[in-house]
Amino acid sequence: MTTIRREVLTLPAAPLGPDNPLPPLRPLDEAHRIDDRDRADLPRDMARQVDYEPLRSLLPVQVRDGYGRGRAPSGLDALVIENDRLRATVLPTLGGRIASLHHKPTDRELLYVNPVLQPANFALNGAWFSGGIEWNIGATGHTTLSCSPLHAARVPAPDGGEMLRLWEWERLRDLPFQVDLWLPDGSDFLYVGARIRNPHEHPVPTYWWSNIAVPEDRRVLAPADEAWNFGYERRLRRVPVPEYDGIDRTYPPNSTYAADYFYEVPDGRRRWIAALDEHGHGLVQTSTDVLRGRKLFVWGTGPGGRRWQEWLTEPGTGGYCEIQAGLVRTQLEHVRLEAEREVSWLEAYGPLDASPEGDWHGVLRGAEDRLEAVLPRADVDAAYDAWLPYADAEPGERLATGSGWGALEVLRAGWKLPGTPFDEDTLGEQQRPWLHLLRAGSLPDPEHHEPPGGTLVSRPWRDMLETTAATPLAEYHLGVAQWHGDDRAQAVRSWERGLQSLRSHESAQGSRSGQGPRSDQGPRAAADRWPLLRCLAVADREDGHHERAADRYAEAFADLCARRPDGPQDAGGDGRWTAVAAALGGEAIGALLAAGRTADARAVWERLEPATRARGRFRLTEAELLAAEGRREEARAVFDEGFEVADLREGAESIGLLWARLDDAPLPARYDFRMRPDRE
């Protein structure tokens, strides 16, 4: 019979570290944007969905960039669902990722299994890792839940056994979702029932792509003669399948640069994608028709793509590609989910044996016939119909706990969400001030000099912030919510009001004591100036006021240094103060250099902790600072000494651009992460 059990998966892992405590106010550096030259040629529905509610910011989510590259053996909580044919290993604390799908009769692993856990800057909010099957919800890109815990529990299955349910509240779009893993007794296929619900009284954009990592020495098959090719040049082109520019792109090693191929599967055709090795063995994914899109992502054989493959795992462990399935044709689009409606579908994952070689249409017919023999299309539709009534089944034994954000939203709105309970006992420290605002109508004063936590930015929470007492902390959070709502002028006014209130309070305190402003004035003054100053500095940079932004960043960093707890380590030891000093210091140096104020940038650098300055990100910053000071040889020496920017962004070119300023020689391989051809 099918069983579900707990396990501990041990592998070398880099700790995630603390989240970046600064609210992400700057626009996303998102690779999935289309060059305007390509818009006119898009099908009408695609063009409409590309332009529908693109994500403007990450709020209310915070950036996760506190990880490094030092790995040590670590135990990861895992849940295993297994029958006599398949064994699926799930990581509930890491986005519900299926880390392994093992076919027992043939003793074959069907996925690419990463032998390490190495976070890298690929998710919308930073930390992401490669391998397995991930569930991408929210907006174009890897989900913000990539390295976050999900709720998990046993639930009844349609065949009388049990399923593993994963669920959480997706915060970018404010939507609850669930993933039910169902492995019928004797089945060679893992069924995945997925549902996204919109409990709001207004339409909401949504997004979904199931992302499957498989070894790259495969041929990828999908029932299409055309694909939409998208690369890091941000050009979207319709190209033939399998050959494009005289090269068969269905073999991942045949591409030089990283690229997406979104297959144009004809209406009425069965939805499936497979990756088969030279012997015809591999994985197939198929689904009900709601999940219409299919995609191949390749890293390419160029030096940048190979470097990224090494970066995400260990050298010599073999490369991988990704095959994916989504709600629409491309990952550049969002879907309109109407008020108080839901969208659901069923996927199936399992082994496929078919010949990958020969004429394209003959290969597709052979693979499709084989798939129909082992898993008829009608059986997938029937499995969906059987699963759907169980989507509302109440969970039994809880196996993992996610965040408390869903519980907070359910308390606020009183929603009933059968099958995905967000219980009050999941509320934690992050939700505490917002629960107080909900119940008491005010934000509690923070502990002495604690950095402010994250901000809730949806319209109901913004309304509460607008009516609560106008403390500096409330003005700070209100400004962040207004900024997210694209009301930037009001956001600046809120931050300025908060700053003026703090300055007036400090002046009054100083007058009563006969001294100037102090840094130990108790809880009422703990809402320090630096968070407000930093927000105003970001607004200045966005408006092109670089000199004023530099002034405010310098003042913010000085205020932070004056007010943070004494000693090199954080009070409480959770890394928050080290994280905020590094984040604010890095931004301040960048703003000061942009304004040509190298001496002030150097002053901020000198006040950073030695451990912070030793991190790869700040070694790169040091080289940029040295170059700005005209000390080219010393900047070049930083490259010779070596550094690794753990949170280097997908598609980022900052290392190569700085190198080009310092040396005419080719960029050293260890620093070459370029994912597109050089500009002409």
Side-chain angles (χ1 to χ4, degrees), residues 355-379:
S355 174
E357 303 295 338
D359 169 72
W360 178 243
H361 293 105
V363 168
L364 290 183
R365 281 194 300 272
E368 218 157 25
D369 289 347
R370 183 59 184 157
L371 175 58
E372 185 67 17
V374 296
L375 183 63
R377 184 178 187 179
D379 286 5

Side-chain angles (χ1 to χ4, degrees), residues 325-340:
L327 287 173
V328 284
R329 278 180 286 207
T330 75
Q331 289 176 326
L332 310 168
E333 305 165 66
H334 296 108
V335 178
R336 180 184 175 97
L337 186 54
E338 297 295 340
E340 300 178 339

Side-chain angles (χ1 to χ4, degrees), residues 23-45:
L25 302 177
R26 301 291 300 276
L28 291 174
D29 181 19
E30 174 53 52
H32 297 94
R33 293 195 179 120
I34 301 175
D35 190 296
D36 288 338
R37 292 173 289 177
D38 299 326
R39 289 180 178 273
D41 297 328
L42 299 182
R44 186 173 300 174
D45 61 334

Side-chain angles (χ1 to χ4, degrees), residues 134-324:
E134 61 175 312
W135 319 111
N136 289 305
I137 181 174
T140 53
H142 294 283
T143 177
T144 62
L145 295 167
S146 293
C147 293
S148 295
L150 304 189
H151 302 283
R154 302 177 193 268
V155 292
D159 60 355
E162 57 185 10
M163 299 185 291
L164 173 60
R165 175 163 298 162
L166 307 165
W167 74 99
E168 195 32 289
W169 196 275
E170 200 287 306
R171 301 181 68 208
L172 292 179
R173 302 303 196 182
D174 245 357
L175 298 175
F177 73 98
Q178 71 189 77
V179 175
D180 287 354
L181 305 181
W182 172 27
L183 192 54
D185 190 30
S187 174
D188 279 307
F189 284 83
L190 174 69
Y191 291 152
V192 178
R195 176 168 65 166
I196 307 171
R197 286 190 277 198
N198 177 13
H200 302 282
E201 296 178 350
H202 55 82
V204 176
T206 192
Y207 171 95
W208 185 279
W209 282 83
S210 301
N211 184 359
I212 310 134
V214 293
E216 67 179 355
D217 58 345
R218 300 288 188 267
R219 190 180 197 190
V220 173
L221 310 180
D225 293 324
E226 291 184 313
W228 294 90
N229 169 240
F230 185 75
Y232 285 81
E233 311 94 318
R234 296 182 177 174
R235 299 301 307 273
L236 184 66
R237 305 178 181 91
R238 193 194 294 259
V239 300
V241 174
E243 289 191 7
Y244 166 44
D245 274 355
I247 300 171
D248 190 332
R249 308 287 176 165
T250 62
Y251 293 90
N254 284 353
S255 292
T256 304
Y257 294 99
D260 298 325
Y261 294 91
F262 299 104
Y263 294 110
E264 189 71 79
V265 180
D267 291 341
R269 193 81 179 261
R270 184 174 186 177
R271 310 288 170 173
W272 62 276
I273 191 167
L276 304 179
D277 66 19
E278 61 181 338
H279 305 294
H281 307 311
L283 169 86
V284 65
Q285 186 271 1
T286 187
S287 71
T288 50
D289 288 351
V290 166
L291 208 63
R292 66 169 296 183
R294 293 299 185 274
K295 171 196 165 181
L296 164 65
F297 168 76
V298 298
W299 283 104
T301 57
R306 306 325 297 171
R307 184 70 179 105
W308 274 117
Q309 294 256 31
E310 293 176 353
W311 189 255
L312 294 169
T313 179
E314 289 184 330
T317 54
Y320 75 96
C321 63
E322 295 169 357
I323 57 175
Q324 303 190 25

Side-chain angles (χ1 to χ4, degrees), residues 412-436:
R412 179 190 62 77
W415 286 314
K416 304 298 182 184
L417 300 169
T420 55
F422 294 95
D423 296 333
E424 199 167 337
D425 62 7
T426 63
L427 293 165
E429 187 63 24
Q430 289 182 309
Q431 293 81 42
R432 184 184 63 81
W434 301 98
L435 184 63
H436 193 276

